[in-house]
Amino acid sequence: MMSDRDEILRAVRNHALTPVTRPALPDFAELYPATPEAFGASLAIMGGIWDESRLNAPTEGGPTDYAALSDYIRGLFPAGGIFCSAVEGIKGDLSIGPDTPAGAVNLVDVGIVQARFGVAETGSIWLSEAECRVNALGYLAQHLVVLLPVADIVPNLHIAYQREEFLTARYSVLMSGPSATADIEGVLIRGAQGVRSLRVIGLPA
């Protein structure tokens, strides 16, 4: 006599190779235009800063003048501090790599990274270990400056989750604005944990 367990396992084996037809899922792309304006509006709702100042900036030798961009970012923080860049072409005060311990970035004032893509629906930017070099840079820095080519803005999360990066990255995060909490007396406090400010600088396509 076959036990209940054996009966269940037999049923699983018999159906293991049976193809299952799944319904097609809509991506709702038409509801969220993949434009800088849509991304910026969503980012602002989440407390982030959308910076379009470099989209029409004069360039030398390519679409992005990293020397001028470096000067521009430094000028955003006149108080100075320790700058840490994970972007080729933008020099920081602290050099980091894949083997840098997370604690090494705990005194960073301004972290600079380049997002792989952004999501217009939520104003989110996507980062992995490749973009951050040290994952903790996105949380231990006081301020995070993110470079985002406008050609890399996707309409919504439905399309974002279909991207190959989610299958190849060991670590990934969708970040939407600086951290915030309203737990205490319903007062919204930004920068309660993690970065105090998040500025996304749009780069020309």
Side-chain angles (χ1 to χ4, degrees):
M1 180 176 178
M2 186 175 291
S3 67
D4 291 342
R5 175 180 178 277
D6 292 334
E7 179 65 25
I8 293 171
L9 292 176
R10 184 192 65 80
V12 171
R13 292 189 190 100
N14 289 342
H15 292 83
L17 300 179
T18 302
V20 177
T21 302
R22 296 181 173 86
L25 297 177
D27 58 24
F28 304 103
E30 70 281 359
L31 299 180
Y32 300 97
T35 63
E37 293 78 16
F39 176 86
S42 297
L43 178 65
I45 292 173
M46 301 305 294
I49 302 167
W50 173 236
D51 188 334
E52 295 182 310
S53 63
R54 309 307 298 173
L55 290 179
N56 298 312
T59 60
E60 296 180 7
T64 301
D65 183 343
Y66 283 101
L69 184 55
S70 297
D71 293 339
Y72 174 72
I73 293 173
R74 294 239 177 207
L76 294 172
F77 302 92
I82 299 175
F83 287 69
C84 181
S85 173
V87 180
E88 292 293 334
I90 297 183
K91 186 177 180 180
D93 305 312
L94 176 66
S95 297
I96 57 173
D99 298 326
T100 302
V105 298
N106 67 340
L107 296 179
V108 170
D109 294 288
V110 181
I112 306 165
V113 297
Q114 180 160 324
R116 185 72 61 89
F117 63 88
V119 184
E121 175 190 11
T122 57
S124 306
I125 50 97
W126 189 91
L127 301 171
S128 74
E129 74 279 357
E131 285 72 41
C132 295
R133 298 188 185 174
V134 177
N135 296 341
L137 181 62
Y139 306 97
L140 295 184
Q142 293 294 308
H143 306 278
L144 190 64
V145 175
V146 181
L147 309 181
L148 176 64
V150 295
D152 295 328
I153 297 175
V154 302
N156 58 34
L157 291 172
H158 295 81
I159 293 177
Y161 281 121
Q162 296 175 24
R163 290 182 63 105
E164 179 183 358
E165 289 91 337
F166 279 103
L167 302 177
T168 57
R170 294 177 297 167
Y171 162 87
S172 67
V173 61
L174 282 165
M175 188 177 294
S176 304
S179 64
T181 182
D183 293 342
I184 301 173
E185 297 183 359
V187 178
L188 179 62
I189 304 296
R190 298 198 186 279
Q193 313 92 17
V195 298
R196 292 163 53 195
S197 73
L198 177 87
R199 176 183 291 263
V200 181
I201 300 177
L203 300 181

